[in-house]
Amino acid sequence: MTTEEKLTLFYDAVTDKARRRAEALIRATKGEHAAILASRRTESDARKDVALKKDASHYAHRLNRENAQRSLDIRRQLADREKSLSDALFADVAARLEAFRRSDEYGAYLCRKAEEMKAFIDSDDAAYLLSAGDEAHLAAIRSICGPSVSIFENDFGGGLRAVSRARNLMVDNSFDTRLREEKEAFVMA
């Protein structure tokens, strides 16, 4: 074997050994890089999942808040509309009561209520009050209840009121009181 051949053989052996070492290092480095890359991807995916969950939670919270606000606004509008309708309804009833006070049937109604109140109270000390606008019916009510009927200084919308001190009793059949009580008890269905 010549020197040249020996050198070539030595060169090939050294380069082959160096190549194998380099390949082993490259494989090890690629494996380490792959492991690092997988770890980083896992961390990145975890961060993305956390961020996504946080965004989803924030969005759901915002959506719930907006829905609650819309629901509250709708309830307010509905309550305002119900109040408006209720006010209109009771204004119409008040107008009809006022028209009834001017009708011929109103006198008969007052006499009927006076008889009912007198029978209910069943006391001689009872004082009966007519609304200020009902002076025209005073004589008819006095014929039923006696001389203790008087005109109240303020108009209470029509109807009668009676007070018995002996029985500690007040009966209020005035239109204003009955209308107010009905309005307070009224619920839109």
Side-chain angles (χ1 to χ4, degrees):
M1 218 171 157
T2 65
T3 314
E4 187 83 21
E5 290 175 342
K6 285 182 182 180
L7 271 172
T8 304
L9 189 60
F10 176 73
Y11 177 75
D12 287 343
V14 168
T15 55
D16 189 41
K17 187 177 179 182
R19 193 173 354 103
R20 278 182 291 169
R21 247 185 174 172
E23 287 174 359
L25 280 173
I26 289 172
R27 276 192 306 274
T29 304
K30 280 184 179 179
E32 288 175 8
H33 283 262
I36 290 171
L37 184 60
S39 169
R40 297 267 167 92
R41 279 186 183 150
T42 303
E43 290 173 8
S44 174
D45 289 346
R47 279 194 300 271
K48 285 178 187 175
D49 285 345
V50 167
L52 187 61
K53 286 178 183 176
K54 183 179 176 184
D55 288 346
S57 173
H58 176 71
Y59 179 74
H61 180 69
R62 192 179 93 224
L63 188 62
N64 286 341
R65 190 175 56 239
E66 289 171 0
N67 285 341
Q69 185 62 43
R70 269 185 248 138
S71 178
L72 185 62
D73 290 344
I74 289 169
R75 278 192 231 122
R76 282 184 187 144
Q77 289 172 355
L78 183 59
D80 290 347
R81 182 69 177 148
E82 284 179 352
K83 184 175 180 345
S84 170
L85 289 172
S86 174
D87 289 347
L89 175 71
F90 281 96
D92 182 52
V93 170
R96 288 176 185 227
L97 285 173
E98 191 58 40
F100 176 64
R101 282 182 76 184
R102 292 188 300 270
S103 73
D104 294 334
E105 296 98 26
Y106 181 62
Y109 169 81
L110 281 177
C111 290
R112 212 173 40 254
K113 285 299 175 183
E115 289 171 352
E116 290 173 11
M117 289 172 86
K118 184 171 173 74
F120 178 75
I121 292 177
D122 192 30
S123 178
D124 292 333
D125 79 322
Y128 299 89
L129 301 170
L130 269 174
S131 186
D134 295 336
E135 295 92 2
H137 305 287
L138 182 61
I141 303 301
R142 277 193 175 151
S143 69
I144 296 169
C145 299
S148 62
V149 180
S150 59
I151 302 293
F152 194 67
E153 59 192 48
N154 297 327
D155 188 13
F156 48 78
L160 282 169
R161 290 181 177 165
V163 177
S164 171
R165 286 191 164 70
R167 293 195 58 203
N168 197 23
L169 182 68
M170 179 181 175
V171 180
D172 189 352
N173 275 329
S174 66
F175 288 169
D176 284 352
T177 300
R178 299 195 84 190
L179 188 65
R180 180 177 34 81
E181 288 171 352
E182 288 299 321
K183 189 173 183 179
E184 289 171 0
F186 184 74
V187 176
M188 297 283 274

